[in-house]
Amino acid sequence: MTSVGQLPGLRPRRRPRDGGEAAGGDVDLVDALDPLAWRTVAAWLHGKPSAATRQVGLQVLASFLSWLRDTEPALELLAVTGAQLDAYCEVARTGALTRRPLASRTVARKRSVLLSFYTFAWQCGVVRHNQVPGQQVARNRRGAGTRTLTRDERRQLRQGIARLAADGRTAEAAAVALLELTGAAVDALAGLTRQDVHSVAGGSRPAVITVHHGRDDVVAFPVSPLARPLLRVLCASRPAGEPLIRRSDGRPVDLDWLRGALADAALAGGVPEQRARDLHPHMLRAATVTDLLEDAKAMPSPPPRP
């Protein structure tokens, strides 16, 4: 295969009524990627369960590629971090991407599609960071102290999670613990139920948690010792099908609530107040993805071209 347009459901449309199933420009954007990125995208699209999901995947990824080319042309697709995903979604939400604001649900679907791709790329061991040449690397280094968490801050954050739990703030403690464990977006964390928490055969301790990115993509994570008792408490107090993590008044959690929980955990662990208030969930997600990438170095290369 030499083009993603050869995949079922992605025949490029070059002119009206020519029988094409996907925008020719979207196909061309993907086909222009470097060989490793192209193989990864092609394998990800090939694994989609239907032509319709392949078409949505191509459309969203091409939109992101176009935005990335305009805003950070030196940044490779496989070197993207959560900061770029957040920026793209914010642009889509405000209307700068399509000349009109997109509904939160539409933006969430776009994020889920992109998270699906980067989860696949991570599982294949091909995500690359610190590959951006010239001024971009210098800019990343200058901002590293403010945009990432240090090892000591991660340790303090874990201490703060334990203190929130001791104070009876189980939902906040669990949210921050799972954010660090999985690197999931707030929508995915807000959708967790006790059916997503699994124990080993014959045991009662939470061992694995499954995180859903959209309808078709599920990633499983081993539960850390820090999160284990918190999940056990939440599972015991939530009816089947109800969110594990919610506000004290029962309302669903959102990004502002999660950011507040993160700041409170940081303060409880001894992080200076201004630094704690400056923390943002995407900073912890980026740190978590970096940890996962370190663990993925021995994973196999992406599948060959379908």
Side-chain angles (χ1 to χ4, degrees):
M1 194 177 76
T2 58
S3 168
V4 294
Q6 294 171 263
L7 289 169
L10 297 184
R11 186 168 63 254
R13 183 171 55 254
R14 302 296 181 184
R15 56 184 182 275
R17 301 181 182 179
D18 65 356
E21 301 156 305
D26 291 353
V27 173
D28 293 342
L29 267 175
V30 171
D31 285 347
L33 290 169
D34 66 89
L36 179 61
W38 184 90
R39 288 197 302 270
T40 307
V41 173
W44 172 68
L45 290 171
H46 182 263
K48 292 296 181 184
S50 68
T53 54
R54 276 190 288 276
Q55 290 162 6
V56 170
L58 174 64
Q59 182 184 37
V60 172
L61 192 62
S63 172
F64 180 66
L65 275 170
S66 179
W67 172 85
L68 194 64
R69 185 179 59 183
D70 291 339
T71 57
E72 299 194 51
L75 187 62
E76 298 177 0
L77 179 66
L78 296 178
V80 163
T81 69
Q84 281 81 37
L85 294 187
D86 287 342
Y88 170 78
C89 290
E90 184 59 27
V91 167
R93 183 177 289 108
T94 59
L97 190 66
T98 57
R99 297 182 181 178
R100 62 181 179 84
L102 297 181
S104 296
R105 183 173 297 180
T106 301
V107 176
R109 284 198 294 267
K110 287 179 176 291
R111 182 189 292 274
S112 292
V113 171
L114 293 172
L115 285 173
S116 164
F117 169 70
Y118 281 105
T119 298
F120 177 84
W122 166 70
Q123 289 171 333
C124 292
V126 297
V127 175
R128 297 191 292 247
H129 285 166
N130 300 324
Q131 298 290 324
V132 187
Q135 295 179 354
Q136 182 67 29
V137 166
R139 188 161 63 246
N140 286 347
R141 287 172 180 167
R142 283 197 300 271
T146 58
R147 292 188 290 106
T148 60
L149 282 83
T150 66
R151 191 177 298 274
D152 283 344
E153 286 173 336
R154 297 281 295 276
R155 177 182 54 78
Q156 290 174 305
L157 190 61
R158 294 186 187 109
Q159 292 174 345
I161 291 170
R163 287 170 184 160
L164 288 185
D167 289 341
R169 300 177 62 183
T170 308
E172 290 96 329
V176 180
L178 291 175
L179 177 65
E180 184 188 33
L181 173 68
T182 67
V186 61
D187 294 339
L189 294 177
L192 293 172
T193 69
R194 73 184 194 191
Q195 283 84 349
D196 296 310
V197 182
H198 311 275
S199 302
V200 295
S204 59
R205 295 192 309 171
V208 174
I209 187 164
T210 51
V211 179
H212 299 255
H213 299 294
R215 293 179 299 174
D216 303 319
D217 299 289
V218 182
V219 184
F221 295 87
V223 176
S224 65
L226 181 62
R228 194 171 294 139
L230 301 171
L231 287 175
R232 188 161 56 239
V233 171
L234 291 178
C235 286
S237 61
R238 301 288 193 261
E242 289 196 7
L244 283 177
I245 301 171
R246 60 190 183 195
R247 300 172 189 257
S248 57
D249 60 4
R251 290 184 297 142
V253 301
D254 56 17
L255 183 59
D256 288 339
W257 180 92
L258 184 58
R259 185 170 186 174
L262 178 58
D264 288 350
L267 286 169
V271 175
E273 182 172 359
Q274 186 56 55
R275 173 61 169 164
R277 299 300 181 196
D278 288 340
L279 295 182
H280 192 281
H282 75 67
M283 296 166 63
L284 189 55
R285 296 212 310 271
T288 300
V289 169
T290 300
D291 289 346
L292 295 174
L293 288 171
E294 289 297 319
D295 294 338
K297 286 180 178 178
M299 296 184 76
S301 300
R305 293 188 182 188

